[in-house]
């Protein structure tokens, strides 16, 4: 898989005034305040793209995973 884009999903903010939204997806089982691995390229894209979020899936409860959305702006 090519990771050079620096994000996993390209979406749009809304249909009225579409802005590209770059989404990087991560997962952790150690808690939302635990460490996740972000590559240097992912971090560069997050800080330079203007419209970028991290979707962090918390998997510490296998039956009830929770999504935390972290915006970079």
């Amino acid at each position: 898989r090519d990771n050079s884009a620096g994000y996993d999903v390209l979406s749009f903010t809304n249909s009225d005034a579409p802005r590209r939204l770059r989404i990087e997806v991560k997962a952790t089982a150690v808690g939302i305040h635990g460490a996740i691995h972000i590559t240097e390229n992912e971090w560069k894209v997050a800080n330079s793209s203007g419209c970028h979020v991290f979707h962090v899936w918390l998997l510490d409860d296998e039956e009830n995973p929770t999504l935390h959305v972290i915006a970079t702006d």
Side-chain angles (χ1 to χ4, degrees):
R1 170 181 152 187
D2 179 15
N3 287 322
S4 64
Y7 57 89
D8 293 316
V9 179
L10 179 60
S11 186
F12 295 91
T13 55
N14 65 54
S15 59
D16 294 333
R19 261 178 72 194
R20 290 182 179 204
L21 173 63
R22 290 157 184 87
I23 303 169
E24 178 61 32
V25 180
K26 298 293 182 183
T28 181
V30 297
I32 193 61
H33 298 289
I36 57 173
H37 178 76
I38 299 172
T39 68
E40 182 179 349
N41 188 46
E42 290 167 347
W43 189 247
K44 281 182 186 177
V45 170
N47 284 303
S48 65
S49 66
C51 195
H52 193 286
V53 295
F54 289 90
H55 283 193
V56 180
W57 283 96
L58 180 56
L59 306 175
D60 60 344
D61 179 351
E62 290 180 13
E63 299 205 12
N64 295 301
T66 54
L67 173 63
H68 296 266
V69 178
I70 304 167
T72 60
D73 54 354

